[in-house]
Amino acid sequence: MAPTWFGRSATILGFLVTLALCSCSDASRRALLKENSMLERHEQWMALHERNYKDVAEKEKRFNVFKDNVKYIEQFNKAGNYPYKLSVNKFADLTNEEFKATRNGYKGLCLEDKLARASSSFKYVNFKYVNVSAVPSTMDWRKKGVVTPVKDQGQCGCCWAFSAVAATEGIHQLKTGKLISLSEQELVDCDTKGVDQGCNGGLMDDAFKFIMSNKGLNTETNYPYKAADTTCNAKEASTHAAQITGFEDVPANSEAALLKAVAKQPVSVAIEASGFGFQFYSSGVFTGPCGTQLDHGVTAVGYGVSDDGTKYWLVKNSWGTSWGESGYIKMQRGVSAKEGLCGIAMEASYPTA
Ligand SMILES: *[C@@H]1O[C@H](CO)[C@@H](O)[C@H](O)[C@H]1NC(C)=O
């Protein structure tokens, strides 16, 4: 990429020359140095995340966003007002508005609120864990070999598929003792009957309905992820590596009910994940701020209590391992709002097998 290399060298050279010729004050000299190191930082970040911009104007625009984000993140961490840290991750050249704009932006989010609420069918009929009275004080389904490695949905708004697949992988392992990575792409391509719309969003419950009516789901290996809407491969979709017998909704707005379910198996949950804190979450217990406009589907794979006594849900995301704690987020548990933090207790569900 000769033009990029040239652009970079020229920019940095420009700053060095300016600095050398500058008969300016120490303050402006420092400002120049700072700007220069920020430019270098952006270059390094671009290389790390293999980011190329279409022209100089776009690069300058992205640099300014990057700069603002870095400043915000550093101030946030330095202030230390929250029990979690932020980091300059792969979303660092997106404004929060762009991050939220699932149709044009990164598309990491996927459950538009409209869509989530269109699920008028969301009401529990049976909750098989209703009588569970004693649950372990902590749970981590990863340690029990029930969770596949963190995946990356890329620029496709199909978090709903990743959430439903992770819950299905979990119940399949618990039933058969075999941990098999299953296909999200099969859901993206073939599950077109309900509200599910591939990369444009969908619902976990409708994904479970598809898996039931399709009589199972193929493996990730046989039906690999493309991060795009492609044609349903009917042959691969007719091969089944795992089956579910049904699904149940956790009684809404009850973290106590959710706890009973997560104590028994990984559970699909819908949350609001579009805030600045979520965009740049790096480690610790996430305590918000966030609302309850459900826009993302993830999977609760455990719960625990942090060293400082904060209770949390252990949540598997689908934004790759470079985001959060190796792809996971700890979200505060036991909040005063009945919906749970970011609405985590509003629309939880799990497959049965
Ligand atoms: C829960 O307990 C009640 C009362 O004993 C019983 O009627 C009900 O069938 C139980 N439900 C489940 C799902 O086990």
Side-chain angles (χ1 to χ4, degrees):
M1 283 280 155
T4 313
W5 181 85
F6 176 74
R8 176 193 330 189
S9 306
T11 317
I12 293 173
L13 191 66
F15 266 89
L16 289 176
V17 168
T18 315
L19 197 65
L21 299 178
C22 180
S23 60
C24 44
S25 68
D26 278 358
S28 47
R29 202 175 267 269
R30 268 200 302 279
L32 267 172
L33 272 171
K34 214 167 165 182
E35 186 78 357
N36 189 23
S37 77
M38 189 63 87
L39 275 169
E40 272 188 68
R41 215 168 145 178
H42 185 224
E43 293 290 349
Q44 284 163 3
W45 178 90
M46 283 174 65
L48 183 66
H49 297 284
E50 294 174 345
R51 199 77 97 243
N52 286 304
Y53 301 120
K54 65 178 197 297
D55 53 31
V56 174
E58 177 68 11
K59 187 174 176 183
E60 192 174 321
K61 184 177 156 194
R62 291 296 141 203
F63 169 71
N64 285 320
V65 173
F66 177 84
K67 187 167 71 173
D68 288 347
N69 282 334
V70 168
K71 274 187 198 155
Y72 177 92
I73 290 164
E74 288 182 344
Q75 275 164 17
F76 179 96
N77 287 341
K78 202 170 156 200
N81 293 331
Y82 292 87
Y84 65 95
K85 297 279 185 211
L86 304 181
S87 71
V88 181
N89 63 19
K90 63 178 169 182
F91 303 126
D93 68 346
L94 297 176
T95 65
N96 188 239
E97 278 63 41
E98 288 167 331
F99 182 71
K100 280 180 194 166
T102 60
R103 293 196 175 263
N104 310 313
Y106 178 77
K107 278 193 163 185
L109 307 166
C110 62
L111 300 178
E112 288 166 69
D113 203 42
K114 269 202 314 286
L115 199 60
R117 288 184 201 282
S119 64
S120 51
S121 67
F122 194 93
K123 48 181 173 307
Y124 77 98
V125 184
N126 298 303
F127 177 49
K128 67 177 187 169
Y129 301 130
V130 65
N131 293 333
V132 169
S133 53
V135 299
S137 58
T138 65
M139 177 53 74
D140 187 342
W141 286 113
R142 297 174 302 184
K143 291 182 180 159
K144 299 190 182 289
V146 173
V147 184
T148 60
V150 166
K151 304 179 186 185
D152 191 346
Q153 69 189 83
Q155 303 205 23
C156 166
C158 63
C159 63
W160 58 276
F162 283 86
S163 170
V165 163
T168 302
E169 290 165 347
I171 196 64
H172 182 71
Q173 199 286 339
L174 287 168
K175 191 181 176 211
T176 66
K178 294 195 187 88
L179 182 63
I180 300 171
S181 184
L182 298 170
S183 174
E184 289 81 16
Q185 193 64 43
E186 182 176 339
L187 288 170
V188 170
D189 292 349
C190 309
D191 174 15
T192 50
K193 289 206 184 76
V195 302
D196 297 345
Q197 299 161 22
C199 290
N200 284 324
L203 294 172
M204 284 79 91
D205 278 5
D206 281 355
F208 296 140
K209 281 180 200 161
F210 170 83
I211 299 171
M212 284 168 67
S213 66
N214 192 55
K215 301 192 165 54
L217 208 54
N218 206 340
T219 62
E220 188 84 69
T221 310
N222 287 345
Y223 203 142
Y225 189 58
K226 300 269 168 41
D229 292 297
T230 58
T231 310
C232 177
N233 184 331
K235 183 175 161 287
E236 292 300 344
S238 66
T239 306
H240 308 130
Q243 166 63 318
I244 61 173
T245 53
F247 68 95
E248 294 179 348
D249 294 335
V250 177
N253 302 323
S254 166
E255 284 194 277
L258 184 57
L259 188 69
K260 291 178 182 185
V262 180
K264 295 295 181 183
Q265 67 178 96
V267 174
S268 289
V269 290
I271 55 171
E272 182 185 297
S274 52
F276 214 100
F278 221 93
Q279 182 176 356
F280 295 114
Y281 169 79
S282 157
S283 64
V285 179
F286 181 76
T287 54
C290 56
T292 56
Q293 303 279 105
L294 307 176
D295 55 22
H296 193 39
V298 289
T299 317
V301 296
Y303 55 86
V305 183
S306 74
D307 291 342
D308 70 357
T310 312
K311 291 197 271 184
Y312 63 82
W313 297 106
L314 178 64
V315 174
K316 184 188 192 189
N317 200 355
S318 51
W319 293 347
T321 53
S322 69
W323 179 87
E325 294 191 348
S326 304
Y328 288 84
I329 181 170
K330 291 190 186 111
M331 294 177 65
Q332 189 177 16
R333 174 168 64 93
V335 298
S336 53
K338 65 183 191 326
E339 295 86 359
L341 187 74
C342 315
I344 193 168
M346 291 169 75
E347 293 195 1
S349 59
Y350 54 87
T352 55

